Amino acid sequence: MAIDEDYGKFLAAVMKKDFSRMTGIDYIAVGGGGAGGQVEFKKDVKALFAGRKEDPKDPLKIEGGRWVWAKKVDPDKDISYLDEGDKVVRSVTRKIRVEVSFDKGVPSSETLDFSRFALFGIDFKDGIFNPEMMFFVDYVTHDPITKDETTKLVRDIVIDFPAKEIK
C-alpha cells in the first residue's frame, strides 16, 4: 500500500506535538460512489467528522451518490508489526499490518459498495474532532467491492515505511 503524500504533514505534526491527544492511525475511512480522487475523499471524511463529539455511527451520504463512513482502529487488536518476511513480531519495525473488518450490515444496508479506503489520524480538541488536523496515512481507490448485508469484509493493509541511509 502506498503511503499518502499527507503522511509527511502528519509525521511533522506528531513530532511537533501539535495534537491535543496522543494520535496515530486512528480510523479507517471507507466510501463509495463518485469518481473523485483523494482530495474529494478527504473533503468527504472531513465533512463526516465536522462538529462531532463521538465516532460516526452512520455513513454520511453525499450529493452525487457518494457516501463515507469511518471505523475506529484499535491499535492493540488491529495493528501489528511485521518483519522483512511479513511475519508478525513484537518488536518495533518499519512495517505494519492494519487488519480491519466490517461486520454484517456495516456501515448500512444502503452502503455496501466499497471503492475508497484511507487510514488517517485526526485531532480531538475541546471535546470535538478537529478535521483541520486530519491527515491521511494512506489512500486507495479501486473498482467497487460489493458485500451483501450478511457478509463480513476484511481489509488487510500492509504499509512499509521505507528507511534510507543518511550520509
Side-chain angles (χ1 to χ4, degrees):
M1 181 84 37
I3 296 172
D4 191 83
E5 64 184 46
D6 226 12
Y7 175 71
K9 295 176 190 172
F10 175 71
L11 186 56
V14 168
M15 298 303 287
K16 194 171 179 283
K17 299 181 182 179
D18 276 345
F19 290 99
S20 300
R21 62 182 176 127
M22 183 61 104
T23 194
I25 295 174
D26 297 318
Y27 292 89
I28 182 169
V30 294
Q38 186 264 11
V39 172
E40 179 184 72
F41 191 55
K42 188 173 182 185
K43 182 177 147 187
D44 293 348
V45 176
K46 281 183 173 186
L48 176 68
F49 278 87
R52 286 194 180 269
K53 295 180 179 189
E54 57 189 39
D55 292 347
K57 304 277 187 270
D58 300 311
L60 176 64
K61 294 176 186 167
I62 303 162
E63 177 178 311
R66 296 190 324 268
W67 65 271
V68 65
W69 183 69
K71 179 179 181 178
K72 185 130 180 85
V73 173
D74 182 339
D76 295 328
K77 291 193 285 186
D78 301 333
I79 302 178
S80 307
Y81 290 108
L82 301 177
D83 66 12
E84 290 302 315
D86 289 343
K87 292 183 181 166
V88 174
V89 294
R90 289 182 174 253
S91 60
V92 177
T93 68
R94 64 182 180 84
K95 289 174 86 172
I96 61 171
R97 167 176 283 135
V98 182
E99 188 174 333
V100 181
S101 64
F102 303 92
D103 293 324
K104 299 174 182 180
V106 171
S108 78
S109 60
E110 295 109 29
T111 54
L112 298 173
D113 289 327
F114 295 73
S115 61
R116 301 180 293 167
F117 297 86
L119 294 171
F120 66 95
I122 187 169
D123 195 21
F124 191 77
K125 186 174 185 177
D126 299 328
I128 60 170
F129 287 100
N130 180 5
E132 295 312 308
M133 287 294 288
M134 180 186 81
F135 302 98
F136 281 8
V137 173
D138 82 341
Y139 167 79
V140 67
T141 183
H142 50 67
D143 292 335
I145 297 171
T146 302
K147 75 180 200 83
D148 65 41
E149 290 184 38
T150 63
T151 60
K152 178 178 179 177
L153 173 67
V154 177
R155 288 297 290 184
D156 186 10
I157 304 159
V158 174
I159 302 174
D160 188 346
F161 298 95
K164 295 182 181 177
E165 183 179 337
I166 300 173
K167 296 182 181 184

